[in-house]
Amino acid sequence: MTGIRLHAPAPGWAIDADVVVVGSGVAGLTAALRCTAAGLRTVVVTKARLDDGSTRWAQGGIAAALGEGDTPEQHMDDTLVAGAGLCDETAVRALVTEGPDAVRRLIETGARFDKDASGTIELTREGGHHRRRIAHAGGDATGAEISRALVDAVRERAVRTIENALVLDLLTDAEGRTAGVTLHVMGEGQHDGVGAVHAPAVVLATGGMGQVFSATTNPAVSTGDGVALALRAGAEVSDLEFVQFHPTVLFLGPEAEGQQPLVSEAVRGEGAHLVDADGVRFMVGQHELAELAPRDIVAKGIMRRMREQGAAHMYLDARHFGAEMWESRFPTILAACRTHGFDPVTEPIPVAPAAHYASGGVRTDLRGRTTVPGLYACGEVACTGVHGANRLASNSLLEGLVFAERIADDIAAELGAGSAVREPRTVTPVPHPSPRVLPLLDPAARARVQQVMTLGAGVLRSARSLAEAAGQLDAIHAAALGEGEGGHKTAEPGVESWETTNLLCVARVLVAAARRREETRGCHWREDHPDRDDTAWRRHLVVRLRPDRSLDVRTTETHDFPPTVRPAGPSTGRPAEETGPSTAQPADHTAAAAQAAARREQQA
């Protein structure tokens, strides 16, 4: 434990639970529903309304081997190739083998996917997939439908929820185990001000950190709160340098900031072409899948063409779809384009990459357990080993489903759920023996952090740009500590200052990792190290926050993650060796990728 806490008032109220789930996307609500079904007292805490997370913005769909002729093995092959040598093969195997049934359970919960005339689920393709395996809903409104179904189920089952609440810090007991969280409820919540939920298990499902950049597809709530909380609690984070920039985001001008409209990869999956201003398809010849190459390759292809031509954006041409297809298959994207003055039925859509998804996050094992006992993480906030250096399209919703179920099952086993003699476990949080209050940033610093990150740690990175970014972030950090020019400038406690402080925390970790990784791999593109280096860098970067607020960045010895070690105790009775991630990874993911390609050739 670091002893570091956000500057905040002491909790004025508290409630007890068995498990508190932080976040209300597909991962959080799936975990909450499964914990509730196991008889656990479950509380969901969410930063806005239940349906305001990243899940509802997902357009393309959810990937799973549901189609005729498709298999989990083929899905696994595509995932490993996209992950560029850093996937945990056992985690991927869990994802693809458990995924189809998890999707079926989602349908049983109430999610309605698009079907053809025979009643079979319609499947499409996206980048990196060699088969049609993306289930979608409402044409291009899959996330909204999944969110609707899960929110309805949570309300139907009367799961206790606290909306409009920003979680601040982790509480621990005298043994250093998780004992709940502190939180601040805003406006229309059930309570006012700062309070606490006491629970022996906490599930972080807080989503991403896209707001650390000026332009992103992420909603305004995605400020890296879960990663920052975990770091202050002493947990390890990994692979934060691998931020996926979605290749096709509607270009609204060089000064556009905040959440930008996404143009789903499914548009390319249905046959749209990437072209330059002269109508030339520049991705042809760059990859066997052309526009449907993995996202990092497409984003790099777009950026190269932009640099070659001195252009601010490229174009996505789907005029050949016709009005009927646009209106039936992609109504959400069509409406967004027309709202901003573009009509994809009659003209190519201007597009450019923007921050989209964090492939790294809080490091977990295959049961979602972090390096802090009792603290779990799933969804975008977590690093399960599934995504490696670059997430395969539409694997994110599936990861949320599969690992949320695994987490709920582990918590139920830990707490003895289902036992007729189970007594609710009470926890007693205790203060850290030497707490350190973290000074807060003025909310005005948020825009500066975003500008620094966009310029220095965006799609294109170099030693120089990252060093400049690190220096500027350190200056912002020093000012908050009263060590820089102008003296002490800490802000008053409040949602905006807490969010800005969290953004600075994750920005510093991201830049530190990106500076250390001197190669180009997946969605990490170093201009000064343009090649992938498996000999030196087929490794993970693991970061911890020290009590003095400095960063401890280390490189793993191999591409295997070290275990999330925790000692055996009377509460679990499990030996420590069962708690780590799988060590059954193949010796060489490059070989695995070659084998995958060979299998595809044989199938063809």
Side-chain angles (χ1 to χ4, degrees):
M1 303 295 292
T2 67
I4 300 173
R5 297 290 183 268
L6 288 175
H7 179 39
W13 53 268
I15 60 176
D16 293 323
D18 293 318
V19 56
V20 55
V21 177
V22 187
S24 59
V26 62
L29 295 187
T30 298
L33 287 167
R34 200 167 177 99
C35 284
T36 299
L40 297 173
R41 298 173 301 164
T42 304
V43 175
V44 175
V45 176
T46 187
K47 194 173 178 182
R49 306 298 293 180
L50 276 180
D51 61 353
D52 276 347
S54 294
T55 291
R56 77 181 183 96
W57 296 100
Q59 294 175 346
I62 184 167
L66 298 168
E68 184 178 353
D70 197 5
T71 64
E73 194 69 28
Q74 294 175 63
H75 188 184
M76 183 170 178
D77 290 345
D78 288 342
T79 300
L80 292 178
V81 171
L86 285 184
C87 294
D88 179 325
E89 182 167 336
T90 307
V92 176
R93 190 176 300 280
L95 178 83
V96 300
T97 56
E98 297 174 21
D101 283 343
V103 172
R104 295 182 185 103
R105 284 188 288 273
L106 180 62
I107 293 171
E108 292 172 0
T109 302
R112 298 186 291 263
F113 290 94
D114 295 337
K115 297 181 179 180
D116 60 22
S118 68
T120 302
I121 293 176
E122 290 183 340
L123 301 173
T124 189
R125 275 183 70 194
E126 292 184 1
H129 293 272
H130 283 76
R131 282 190 176 273
R132 286 182 170 266
R133 65 168 65 97
I134 317 299
H136 49 84
D140 58 358
T142 309
E145 170 57 19
I146 290 174
S147 181
R148 179 207 62 77
L150 292 173
V151 168
D152 285 354
V154 162
R155 288 173 174 158
E156 179 183 321
R157 291 158 177 76
V159 179
R160 187 167 189 174
T161 61
I162 304 176
E163 298 181 285
N164 302 303
L166 173 63
V167 168
L168 302 175
D169 279 304
L170 190 74
L171 295 170
T172 55
D173 63 17
E175 297 178 352
R177 290 188 57 87
T178 293
V181 293
T182 56
L183 64 155
H184 173 79
V185 182
M186 304 166 274
E188 301 176 1
Q190 297 177 17
H191 305 276
D192 292 323
V194 175
V197 180
H198 296 166
V202 171
V203 181
L204 294 179
T206 52
M209 55 184 191
Q211 290 291 328
V212 79
F213 295 96
S214 296
T216 177
T217 63
N218 290 190
V221 295
S222 298
T223 51
D225 306 317
V227 170
L229 176 151
L231 283 163
R232 290 192 296 272
E236 295 180 350
V237 303
S238 186
D239 299 352
L240 225 60
E241 69 272 29
F242 296 120
V243 176
Q244 188 176 83
F245 287 77
H246 198 287
T248 53
V249 176
L250 185 62
F251 181 75
L252 301 180
E255 305 302 321
E257 296 181 345
Q259 186 177 11
Q260 309 291 300
L262 177 67
V263 181
S264 171
E265 202 151 318
V267 178
R268 282 175 280 139
E270 296 292 351
H273 301 146
L274 280 166
V275 298
D276 60 20
D278 296 322
V280 176
R281 287 182 61 189
F282 56 88
M283 284 304 299
V284 174
Q286 291 197 35
H287 189 275
E288 60 167 333
L289 296 176
E291 286 92 351
L292 284 177
R295 287 178 177 174
D296 62 310
I297 294 172
V298 178
K300 292 170 187 174
I302 291 174
M303 293 300 296
R304 287 193 186 100
R305 197 66 157 193
M306 287 165 55
R307 287 198 303 178
E308 290 170 1
Q309 299 187 343
H313 60 83
M314 289 289 108
Y315 294 92
L316 188 64
D317 191 352
R319 289 174 292 179
H320 54 285
F321 285 4
E324 182 178 350
M325 181 174 175
W326 267 110
E327 291 166 1
S328 62
R329 181 67 179 84
F330 301 111
T332 306
I333 299 170
L334 178 63
C337 289
R338 286 177 170 171
T339 295
H340 292 285
F342 306 104
D343 189 350
V345 176
T346 61
E347 61 185 329
I349 308 167
V351 294
H356 181 58
Y357 191 89
S359 292
V362 185
R363 191 168 75 80
T364 74
D365 64 13
L366 296 182
R367 294 172 183 158
R369 294 177 291 194
T370 73
T371 51
V372 174
L375 179 64
Y376 297 77
C378 61
E380 189 173 355
V381 71
C383 182
T384 62
V386 160
H387 304 309
N390 181 49
R391 174 176 67 85
L392 181 66
S394 287
N395 267 358
S396 54
L397 293 175
L398 191 70
E399 183 197 33
L401 278 180
V402 169
F403 284 87
E405 292 185 345
R406 283 176 156 250
I407 285 173
D409 292 347
D410 192 74
I411 294 174
E414 289 271 339
L415 300 184
S419 170
V421 297
R422 186 183 81 88
E423 292 290 335
R425 183 184 298 176
T426 58
V427 292
T428 305
V430 298
H432 192 278
S434 55
R436 297 170 180 83
V437 175
L438 184 64
L440 302 177
L441 264 66
D442 188 310
R446 177 170 177 158
R448 185 180 173 197
V449 170
Q450 292 170 330
Q451 291 163 2
V452 167
M453 293 298 291
T454 298
L455 291 174
V459 178
L460 304 179
R461 303 167 179 175
S462 67
R464 180 175 180 178
S465 75
L466 291 166
E468 291 176 352
Q472 293 179 63
L473 293 176
D474 285 346
I476 297 171
H477 187 239
L481 297 176
E483 299 169 352
E485 296 182 7
H488 192 63
K489 297 181 181 179
T490 186
E492 291 299 313
V495 173
E496 292 183 345
S497 58
W498 287 321
E499 284 186 334
T500 304
T501 303
N502 285 339
L503 279 175
L504 177 63
C505 177
V506 297
R508 291 180 65 222
V509 175
L510 194 162
V511 169
R515 293 183 75 184
R516 180 72 65 90
R517 185 172 290 279
E518 295 181 333
E519 65 159 355
T520 290
R521 180 187 297 271
C523 50
H524 172 66
W525 188 4
R526 284 284 297 262
E527 292 184 283
D528 51 337
H529 295 281
D531 299 320
R532 172 171 155 176
D533 183 355
D534 279 351
T535 301
W537 285 107
R538 192 153 168 255
R539 309 280 190 273
H540 300 277
L541 290 173
V542 177
V543 183
R544 295 187 69 169
L545 184 65
R546 296 190 181 102
D548 65 359
R549 303 185 184 95
S550 64
L551 300 177
D552 173 20
V553 185
R554 75 179 194 274
T555 307
T556 60
E557 295 181 359
T558 70
H559 60 279
D560 293 329
F561 273 128
T564 53
V565 177
R566 65 183 71 193
S571 64
T572 67
R574 294 176 180 165
E577 59 267 27
E578 289 188 11
T579 65
S582 167
T583 57
Q585 290 199 82
D588 191 346
H589 277 265
T590 305
Q595 292 167 4
R599 281 195 291 270
R600 285 195 295 269
E601 289 180 6
Q602 292 172 356
Q603 291 158 359

